[in-house]
């Protein structure tokens, strides 16, 4: 369900923050045939006709698509203790990963040094805490994309309850 995927995402922010020590991590179990599974959560389900991706799959894909090569020092001040984060960068992009495992939305102001004014892209996975994808409703929990404005080194963002949001800020 979405909540288990968000718990994985919270854990993965710690993996990234400690990437100087954590060299790699893996996900198991990966595949499950409908009606033949031994345990959950499995990341990708299939039957004779189709494939169904879980919220856990989407979290893994979102994190894999936004890997920085340097961890940036960051902090969350005055926010709910159930929000996890990590900030990484490449030469031309800054990634801010925010995971809210609480039942409450948070309004945030993100201060960004050295990020030019403009627009940042975001990908977000959110929904009801116990929501699951099924073969009948494959996209009940699926990422959505959008943009947020950056002006004078700050970005305003609402972090929904039960959500993982990854912002990508251009550095050039």
């Amino acid at each position: 369900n979405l909540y288990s995927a968000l718990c994985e995402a919270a854990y993965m922010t710690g993996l990234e923050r400690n990437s100087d020590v954590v060299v790699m991590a893996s996900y198991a179990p990966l595949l499950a045939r409908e009606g033949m599974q031994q345990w959950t959560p499995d990341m990708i389900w299939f039957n004779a006709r189709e494939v169904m991706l879980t919220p856990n799959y989407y979290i893994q894909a979102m994190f894999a698509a936004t890997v920085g090569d340097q961890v940036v020092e960051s902090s969350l001040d005055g926010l709910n203790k159930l929000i996890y984060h990590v900030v990484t960068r490449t030469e031309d992009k800054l990634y801010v990963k925010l995971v809210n495992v609480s039942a409450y939305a948070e309004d945030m102001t993100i201060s960004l040094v050295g990020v030019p004014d403009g627009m940042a892209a975001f990908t977000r996975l959110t929904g009801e805490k116990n929501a699951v994808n099924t073969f009948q409703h494959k996209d009940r929990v699926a990422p959505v994309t959008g943009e947020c404005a950056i002006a004078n080194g700050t970005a305003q963002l609402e972090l929904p309850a039960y959500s993982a949001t990854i912002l990508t800020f251009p550095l050039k």
Side-chain angles (χ1 to χ4, degrees), residues 36-51:
M36 308 281 288
Q37 72 277 6
Q38 294 178 339
W39 53 72
T40 59
D42 294 285
M43 190 186 307
I44 301 169
W45 291 70
F46 64 95
N47 60 28
R49 296 172 305 283
E50 56 195 333
V51 171

Side-chain angles (χ1 to χ4, degrees), residues 38-76:
Q38 294 178 339
W39 53 72
T40 59
D42 294 285
M43 190 186 307
I44 301 169
W45 291 70
F46 64 95
N47 60 28
R49 296 172 305 283
E50 56 195 333
V51 171
M52 188 262 305
L53 304 174
T54 64
N56 308 73
Y57 170 85
Y58 289 122
I59 287 293
Q60 295 288 329
M62 288 167 58
F63 271 66
T66 54
V67 176
D69 52 24
Q70 179 183 3
V71 177
V72 177
E73 187 176 331
S74 60
S75 65
L76 294 177

